[in-house]
């Protein structure tokens, strides 16, 4: 008996990872013929999809560019639009695309977020693939009505006669070290309360490309938040050709037995460091999970982990009150109450506007998360 858990890339292959009920050494089966023994990971790859073409070193913004390039090349209806995207955008995610595909397919818009999303809804309803860029997630709020009352409800209000499922909205997201009030926000929780859209946040270049292409292909409007501090922070071998990773599927990055650490985007890298600290300093085994999709989120993977560990720490940069950690905490408490060994812990941003010089004190860093683990273990 095996259960699908996630995807990975091994030797230029996208591989499906399955978790066996009882297995003490892993066998990685690449393309069905080549085997890798991995005694430290209790998973087995049972099937693989060989990628077409080579991989290339890319950072996160380059992997986004690659995904957009693949889409424009394969879909003649696809258009990309937003403030300054024609010359590459603030973070260079669309650089070179106008020159390659023309000004009718990659073009600037006025500085009007509600107009950008409203236009994207119309493009998608007409049957084309619309990829809208909001220059910073902090400025998505003027488009809130268009997203929540129009895009999310278009299919429902027409009884599925019409929809704008071909709409994807990209936006740089999260803190960056010096962004202060208007260039540091994490607004995912606002949209998690809105049925009819999907909300996705990647942690690195491989996930960014695969998940973005999944959003573009998905038949529901999607919001794709890109952690801007990671745009140039990490380089991975990313397939040049198109590939997708499943939405609404959390990924177990590290297995453990004592505490479940759950995060997404930038914060997942903090969780991995905290897991190493907990093992080294406390002898505590942490299971690290990247949620990846905020809406609809993968309750099964998270709850299965908490049943095993009995403890859950959730961390995100957004303010703690009404943050998405609260929804996760509530669901896990309902589903796993009898398995909990300690109260669920949330380590999040404070209930203040995002500060400038005090950003190091605001963010949920590894030390705050480490102290939360100690409290749970000693409960």
């Amino acid at each position: 008996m095996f259960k699908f858990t996630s995807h990975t890339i091994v030797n230029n292959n996208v591989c499906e990872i399955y978790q066996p009920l009882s297995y003490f050494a892993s066998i990685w089966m690449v393309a069905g013929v080549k085997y890798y023994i991995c005694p430290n990971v209790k998973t087995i790859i049972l099937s693989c999809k060989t990628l077409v073409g080579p991989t290339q070193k890319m950072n996160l913004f380059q992997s986004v560019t690659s995904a957009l390039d693949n889409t424009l090349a394969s879909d003649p209806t696809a258009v990309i639009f937003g403030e300054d995207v024609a010359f590459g955008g603030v973070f260079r995610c669309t650089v070179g695309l106008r020159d390659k595909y023309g000004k009718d397919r990659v073009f600037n818009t006025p500085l009007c977020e509600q107009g950008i999303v409203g236009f994207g809804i119309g493009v998608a309803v007409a049957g084309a693939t619309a990829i809208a860029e909001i220059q910073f997630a902090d400025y998505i709020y003027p488009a809130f009505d268009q997203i929540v009352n129009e895009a999310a409800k278009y299919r429902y209000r027409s009884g599925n006669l019409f929809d704008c499922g071909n709409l994807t909205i990209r936006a740089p997201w999260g803190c960056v070290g010096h962004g202060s009030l208007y260039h540091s926000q994490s607004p995912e929780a606002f949209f998690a309360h809105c049925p009819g859209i999907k909300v996705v946040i990647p942690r690195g270049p491989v996930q960014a490309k695969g998940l973005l292409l999944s959003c573009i292909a998905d038949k529901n409007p999607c919001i794709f938040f890109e952690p801007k501090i990671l745009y140039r922070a990490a380089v991975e071998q990313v397939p040049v050709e198109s590939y997708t990773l499943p939405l609404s599927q959390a990924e177990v990055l590290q297995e453990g037995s004592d505490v479940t650490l759950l995060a997404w985007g930038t914060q997942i890298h903090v969780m991995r460091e905290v897991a190493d600290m907990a093992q080294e300093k406390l002898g505590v085994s942490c299971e690290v999970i990247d949620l990846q999709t905020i809406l609809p989120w993968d309750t099964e993977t998270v709850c299965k982990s908490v049943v095993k560990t009995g403890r859950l720490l959730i961390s995100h940069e957004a303010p703690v009150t009404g943050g998405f950690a609260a929804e996760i905490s509530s669901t896990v408490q309902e589903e796993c109450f009898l398995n909990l060994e300690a109260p669920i812990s949330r380590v999040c941003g404070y209930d203040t506007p995002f500060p400038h010089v005090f950003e190091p004190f605001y963010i949920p860093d590894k030390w705050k998360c480490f102290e939360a683990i100690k409290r749970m273990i000693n409960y």
Side-chain angles (χ1 to χ4, degrees), residues 1-3 19-26 42-44 304:
M1 294 291 291
F2 297 90
K3 177 185 177 297
Q19 177 66 55
L21 296 180
S22 177
Y23 206 77
F24 300 103
S26 291
K42 295 177 182 176
T43 56
I44 182 170
K304 180 181 177 181

Side-chain angles (χ1 to χ4, degrees), residues 75-123:
D75 183 354
T77 73
V79 291
I80 298 171
F81 49 92
E83 297 161 15
D84 303 322
V85 300
F87 72 79
V90 171
F91 295 102
R92 317 308 292 158
C93 290
T94 53
V95 68
L97 296 181
R98 182 183 65 169
D99 295 338
K100 186 174 182 179
Y101 295 101
K103 62 181 181 180
D104 292 334
R105 300 189 66 196
V106 182
F107 50 89
N108 291 336
T109 65
L111 200 161
C112 179
E113 286 78 14
Q114 59 266 53
I116 293 171
V117 175
F119 175 77
I121 292 171
V123 169

Side-chain angles (χ1 to χ4, degrees), residues 175 267 317 348-350 354 358-365 368:
C175 74
Q267 198 64 16
E317 294 176 8
C348 308
Y350 296 126
F354 204 97
F358 295 120
E359 178 176 316
F361 302 99
Y362 176 92
I363 58 175
D365 62 15
K368 295 177 184 177

Side-chain angles (χ1 to χ4, degrees), residues 255-268:
E255 292 199 350
S257 57
D258 299 323
V259 181
T260 298
L261 306 181
L262 179 63
W264 48 90
T266 309
Q267 198 64 16
I268 199 67

Side-chain angles (χ1 to χ4, degrees), residues 128-151:
T129 298
I131 306 170
E133 179 182 300
I134 302 297
Q135 198 165 81
F136 287 88
D138 312 59
Y139 299 125
I140 202 170
Y141 303 118
F144 196 81
D145 179 62
Q146 288 294 320
I147 296 170
V148 172
N149 273 333
E150 303 301 335

Side-chain angles (χ1 to χ4, degrees), residues 97-211:
L97 296 181
R98 182 183 65 169
D99 295 338
K100 186 174 182 179
Y101 295 101
K103 62 181 181 180
D104 292 334
R105 300 189 66 196
V106 182
F107 50 89
N108 291 336
T109 65
L111 200 161
C112 179
E113 286 78 14
Q114 59 266 53
I116 293 171
V117 175
F119 175 77
I121 292 171
V123 169
V125 170
T129 298
I131 306 170
E133 179 182 300
I134 302 297
Q135 198 165 81
F136 287 88
D138 312 59
Y139 299 125
I140 202 170
Y141 303 118
F144 196 81
D145 179 62
Q146 288 294 320
I147 296 170
V148 172
N149 273 333
E150 303 301 335
K153 297 176 174 60
Y154 213 103
R155 186 190 308 275
Y156 298 87
R157 69 185 294 193
S158 70
N160 204 31
L161 291 175
F162 308 100
D163 69 82
C164 59
N166 291 337
L167 172 64
T168 300
I169 303 167
R170 296 178 41 250
W173 164 98
C175 74
V176 71
H178 52 266
S180 192
L181 298 170
Y182 299 119
H183 299 85
S184 304
Q185 296 177 52
S186 302
E188 64 270 18
F190 287 104
F191 299 100
H193 194 61
C194 181
I197 60 175
K198 296 186 177 182
V199 182
V200 180
I201 306 173
R203 71 174 184 274
V206 170
Q207 292 74 30
K209 180 172 181 177
L211 292 171

